[in-house]
Amino acid sequence: MSRLTRCIVTLSVLLALPFAAAAQETRGLKVACGSIGIELQLCEEGVREWSEKTGYPASIVSMPGNTSERLALYQQFLSAKEATIDVFQIDVVWPGVLQDHLLDLSPYVPKEEVERHFPSVISNNTIDGRLLAMPLYTDVGILYYRKDLLEKYKRPVPTTWEELTETAKVVIEGERTAGTPDMWGYVFQGRAYEGLTCNALEWVNSSGGGSIVSEDGKVTIVNQEALEAIQLAASWIGEISPKGVLNYGEEEARGVFQSGKSVFMRNWPYAWALIQTNGSPTKDKVGVTTLPSAKAGEKGSGTLGGWQMSVSKYSTQPEKAAELVRWLTGPEVQKKYALRATYNPTIMALYKDKEVLAALPASQVLYDALMVAVPRPSKVTGRRYNQVSYSFLNAVHAVLSGEMEAQDSLTALDKRLERIGKDGTWK
Ligand code: GLC
C-alpha cells in the first residue's frame, strides 16, 4: 500500500473524530465499507438510514478499493488494538486472517436471523464456534462477452480457454483491420494482488489442477494441469490481453471492456449493473456465462468471493455496532444492493423475490456459477491465508510478466508453501 493511501485514510479518521465526539458522549460508529463499483455509495446510504432510524451517529471511513491494500490497512488498525474503526467490511477469505481481532457476533444476532443466510457462508464465517462476520453479499467470477462481436464473426460463446483464445484472436484481427487499432480480446485482473489469486485459481481449477492447497491441508499446486493453465494464460499477454493487464484490478478491466475495447472480460457480477447503465457504450451488447474450462462441455469454476460485516473486538460500542451490522446485512439492504448494483444476496429467500431475480444478470448463469464455484483455501490455511495467497499470486505474476518459467516458478512456490504450512499443519 502506498504511503499516500495510508496517510489519507488515517487523516480522514482523525478529522472525523472531533465532530463525532461532540455529537454524543460516544464518538458514534466508524464504518469501513468496500469501494468497488458503487458499493461505497450503497454502504453510505445503508449507514445513514440506520443512523436516522436509531438517532445514533455513524459515519464512513474511506478505504482503498484494492482488496490487498485494504487488508494491510485493517491489520494496521486492528493490531494497534484501538477502537478507531468499529465495523469492518471483510472479504470472504479474511475471517481466519483476522480471527484474533473480531467480535463473536452470536450473542448479538438472533439464531433465526443467522439461519436465513446460505449455510456455507455462515460456516465460512464461523471459527471455533465464534461467528466472526455476517454475510453482506456473495460473489463469483463470471465471463462477460460481446454478443454483437461473436455474432459478427460467427463464433459461439466459448466453453474452453483454448476456444476463448482462438475467438479472441479472430475478433481482434478483424476489428483492428476494420479500424479499431486498440481492440483487445480478453481483460481480467492481472495485478499482483488478491484479484490475481482469484483469476489464476480459476484457470488452474477449471483445468483440473486443484485449488493450491487441498481441504485437508496438502500443497497441490505442482501438477501438469496447473502448469499448462498458467502457461496458456502467460501466452495471452501482449497477444489477446494488453500488457497493461498485469496492472489491472476489477475497475481497470471493466473500464476497457465497457468502453468497447475487449471481446471478453472476467469479472464479478457487479460489473453487469454498470455495463447496463444508460450511456454505457456497451449497454445491451453484452452477455454473461460461466467461465470456460479445459474440456468442452464442462463448466469452468469461478472463484467464490463475497463480503461480510464484522465488529472489531476493540470497539467500545459493540451492541450498537452489532445492531448496525444486522441492519446492513438484513433483507432491505441486501435487496437494495441486488437491485441497484447486482450484488448477489446471501439471504436465501431473496432468490424467490421477483424484483431481485429480474435485476441479476441471467440469474440461472449466476446460480450455475455459484454451484460450481471454487473457494480459495482460506479455511484450511487460517491465519496464514494471506501469505499463501501472496506466494501464489507473486509466482503467477512472475510467469505472466515473463520473469520466470512456469515450471520453475511453481516448484519454488511449492517449497515456499510447504514451509508456510509447516508440514500441512498450517499452525
Ligand atoms: C471481489 C470478491 C472478493 C475478492 C476480491 C479480489 O471483491 O468479492 O472475495 O477477494 O474481489 O479483488
Side-chain angles (χ1 to χ4, degrees):
M1 173 182 12
S2 72
R3 195 178 287 168
L4 182 67
T5 317
R6 200 172 295 159
C7 261
I8 291 171
V9 175
T10 311
L11 251 175
S12 73
V13 174
L14 292 177
L15 285 175
L17 284 178
F19 300 111
Q24 287 242 337
E25 74 273 22
T26 72
R27 61 180 178 79
L29 296 173
K30 290 272 166 274
V31 188
C33 295
S35 55
I36 294 181
I38 67 157
E39 66 178 331
L40 182 60
Q41 192 185 325
L42 291 174
C43 191
E44 242 159 8
E45 279 176 30
V47 170
R48 198 182 326 119
E49 280 160 12
W50 178 82
S51 202
E52 281 164 10
K53 256 177 10 140
T54 59
Y56 200 83
S59 57
I60 305 287
V61 180
S62 63
M63 286 282 151
N66 177 313
T67 321
S68 302
E69 288 186 1
R70 185 124 51 100
L71 177 60
L73 198 59
Y74 282 11
Q75 284 176 315
Q76 197 178 318
F77 279 122
L78 288 167
S79 57
K81 303 195 173 170
E82 282 165 10
T84 327
I85 297 175
D86 303 278
V87 174
F88 287 90
Q89 181 175 327
I90 72 161
D91 198 337
V92 70
V93 284
W94 297 347
V97 178
L98 298 175
Q99 59 185 292
D100 300 328
H101 305 290
L102 302 179
L103 187 72
D104 177 8
L105 295 172
S106 4
Y108 300 92
V109 189
K111 205 161 160 271
E112 58 282 7
E113 237 173 84
V114 175
E115 286 173 353
R116 60 191 180 187
H117 296 267
F118 287 127
S120 53
V121 187
I122 294 296
S123 146
N124 177 78
N125 297 354
T126 307
I127 293 185
D128 298 334
R130 295 181 308 135
L131 177 63
L132 300 180
M134 283 294 286
L136 176 65
Y137 65 87
T138 182
D139 242 351
V140 60
I142 50 177
L143 182 71
Y144 290 77
Y145 59 90
R146 287 283 300 280
K147 286 190 298 199
D148 56 333
L149 292 176
L150 294 190
E151 265 165 41
K152 180 171 169 190
Y153 291 89
K154 302 199 172 26
R155 304 286 300 193
V157 176
T159 62
T160 66
W161 293 107
E162 291 284 353
E163 198 182 357
L164 177 143
T165 312
E166 286 314 306
T167 299
K169 285 182 183 160
V170 170
V171 180
I172 288 177
E173 208 191 305
E175 291 299 290
R176 286 189 185 166
T177 317
T180 314
D182 51 350
M183 187 70 195
W184 289 100
Y186 188 42
V187 288
F188 57 92
Q189 294 74 47
R191 179 188 298 156
Y193 81 118
E194 185 64 25
L196 178 55
T197 290
C198 298
N199 281 253
L201 174 60
E202 286 159 356
W203 309 330
V204 168
N205 193 265
S206 60
S207 305
S211 53
I212 315 165
V213 178
S214 67
E215 273 170 33
D216 57 353
K218 294 202 179 59
V219 178
T220 59
I221 191 60
V222 176
N223 62 74
Q224 191 59 25
E225 288 80 8
L227 180 76
E228 285 172 15
I230 293 171
Q231 280 169 335
L232 178 65
S235 78
W236 296 334
I237 312 299
E239 291 293 323
I240 64 165
S241 307
K243 286 217 172 75
V245 82
L246 295 174
N247 206 21
Y248 281 5
E250 283 79 8
E251 288 292 78
E252 288 81 7
R254 182 175 68 83
V256 173
F257 182 77
Q258 191 168 336
S259 65
K261 298 296 164 64
S262 180
V263 192
F264 300 111
M265 167 176 74
R266 182 272 179 209
N267 217 322
W268 308 97
Y270 86 93
W272 178 257
L274 297 161
I275 289 169
Q276 285 300 93
T277 44
N278 287 334
S280 155
T282 38
K283 183 172 192 287
D284 298 329
K285 292 184 179 160
V286 172
V288 292
T289 186
T290 40
L291 286 165
S293 73
K295 285 202 198 100
E298 266 177 30
K299 284 191 194 316
S301 22
T303 295
L304 185 67
W307 290 85
Q308 345 290 316
M309 300 305 292
S310 290
V311 175
S312 155
K313 224 165 80 173
Y314 317 111
S315 169
T316 50
Q317 312 153 76
E319 282 88 10
K320 286 292 169 197
E323 207 183 286
L324 172 59
V325 164
R326 284 173 62 195
W327 163 253
L328 290 175
T329 59
E332 283 180 51
V333 176
Q334 286 211 353
K335 183 166 174 177
K336 190 199 277 189
Y337 269 63
L339 295 190
R340 296 251 306 272
T342 46
Y343 288 107
N344 294 277
T346 57
I347 296 177
M348 291 176 281
L350 286 175
Y351 286 85
K352 295 204 175 83
D353 183 304
K354 289 211 174 65
E355 281 177 291
V356 170
L357 290 178
L360 296 177
S363 45
Q364 186 61 38
V365 167
L366 284 180
Y367 181 83
D368 290 351
L370 281 166
M371 277 306 181
V372 293
V374 53
R376 284 159 277 175
S378 54
K379 193 90 184 167
V380 64
T381 59
R383 290 184 179 82
R384 298 179 188 275
Y385 171 72
N386 205 38
Q387 279 170 277
V388 170
S389 179
Y390 255 88
S391 309
F392 176 62
L393 69 91
N394 282 326
V396 173
H397 200 269
V399 180
L400 297 184
S401 59
E403 279 162 44
M404 273 182 99
E405 288 299 326
Q407 182 74 63
D408 298 343
S409 191
L410 288 189
T411 309
L413 170 65
D414 181 60
K415 285 214 186 78
R416 204 180 149 77
L417 292 181
E418 290 292 355
R419 253 197 330 271
I420 297 172
K422 305 215 167 85
D423 299 324
T425 63
W426 303 98
K427 296 276 182 248

